[in-house]
Amino acid sequence: MSTGIEALHEVRREDLCEAATTLARAFVRDPIWARVFEGVSAAKMAIWFQGPILYCWEFGRVYATSERLEGVVGIVPGTCARMTMRRTMQAGTMRMAMRMGPQLMLRAPKMMRIFAPLDADREEHMGEREFTYIMIVGVAPEHQRQGHGGTLLRALMDDSDRTGVPVYLETETEDNQRMYDHYGFQLLRKITLPVVDLPMWEMLREPVSQP
């Protein structure tokens, strides 16, 4: 049985809203997003998470463990890892942003300051190298600890080994850092994000040569 990308469910455009809801629920207790979205309703959070999902659908791929969308991952090539204004407009995320209302729109500059160091570090680490960027990955709370996250990661790792393209990501908890270490990711740098004063781990997995 295949464990590669072809074994995953490629999310259709009509399912992007549901995929975003899965991610919003997955990150509800995440230390960084809990701080950023303090006082924001779950429905508004789900609208925000449509942004990275739309972006990955436009410039990369969005996969799920199955049609039930227990776990979702959005990836893009390294050349599109930085979400520029032109790209976000092309992906339609600006139209989505208008639906968030002033409560979240006013937080956009703060979010940009928080995550700007990640873009700079990523470009420093990778330079001109080709890589796949895991922009976002999460599993709905009721499906966690059932292997869905591992299913997504193994598929991406198998694809990386087959194509010879490394995989880059950032994660915001030490438990996640240890999990990614188990899948062969190496820690490049641990930083403290501005504004929220919380840590982030920047990690890279080099492909394993095929026999």
Side-chain angles (χ1 to χ4, degrees):
M1 184 175 65
S2 173
T3 58
I5 286 289
E6 64 276 7
L8 298 179
H9 170 68
E10 188 161 2
V11 176
R12 301 178 296 268
R13 188 175 183 88
E14 58 266 30
D15 295 327
L16 294 183
C17 290
E18 186 178 350
T21 298
T22 292
L23 291 171
R25 296 178 63 238
F27 284 95
V28 70
R29 290 187 175 86
D30 178 271
I32 292 174
W33 292 115
R35 183 79 60 84
V36 170
F37 289 128
E38 187 175 3
V40 175
S41 70
K44 291 289 187 182
M45 280 183 64
I47 293 174
W48 187 91
F49 275 100
Q50 290 177 33
I53 287 293
L54 280 168
Y55 187 90
C56 291
W57 194 85
E58 177 69 25
F59 295 106
R61 294 286 187 273
V62 181
Y63 294 105
T65 42
S66 78
E67 292 183 353
R68 294 183 294 277
L69 308 180
E70 303 96 338
V72 176
V73 61
I75 60 173
V76 293
T79 52
C80 295
R82 182 186 283 267
M83 294 178 70
T84 65
M85 181 64 70
R86 180 183 62 81
R87 290 179 190 140
T88 55
M89 291 181 68
Q90 181 179 337
T93 60
M94 298 302 290
R95 293 191 299 273
M96 173 276 304
M98 298 301 293
R99 297 174 50 215
M100 294 190 300
Q103 183 184 34
L104 281 181
M105 288 292 287
L106 291 173
R107 301 187 189 202
K110 176 181 176 181
M111 287 191 234
M112 291 176 65
R113 292 198 302 274
I114 292 171
F115 297 113
L118 299 178
D119 285 331
D121 283 1
R122 192 185 317 114
E123 290 164 9
E124 176 190 340
H125 293 318
M126 302 308 294
E128 299 299 318
R129 291 189 66 189
E130 181 184 6
F131 66 99
T132 295
Y133 178 49
I134 299 180
M135 179 164 283
I136 194 161
V137 58
V139 177
E142 68 272 19
H143 297 297
Q144 291 175 5
R145 302 186 183 280
Q146 297 176 23
H148 295 293
T151 296
L152 295 171
L153 288 173
R154 282 190 296 273
L156 295 179
M157 301 311 99
D158 287 353
D159 192 63
S160 171
D161 294 342
R162 179 180 58 81
T163 61
V165 177
V167 180
Y168 187 102
L169 59 79
E170 298 104 6
T171 192
E172 49 268 64
T173 71
E174 193 167 6
D175 284 346
N176 284 349
Q177 186 267 323
R178 286 193 291 265
M179 176 190 69
Y180 290 124
D181 182 73
H182 173 75
Y183 284 98
F185 284 84
Q186 299 296 315
L187 178 64
L188 300 179
R189 184 177 295 161
K190 178 184 176 182
I191 69 169
T192 299
L193 295 177
V195 183
V196 292
D197 195 33
L198 289 170
M200 200 79 160
W201 288 260
E202 302 165 347
M203 307 188 74
L204 177 71
R205 182 189 184 273
E206 297 286 358
V208 177
S209 299
Q210 296 294 297

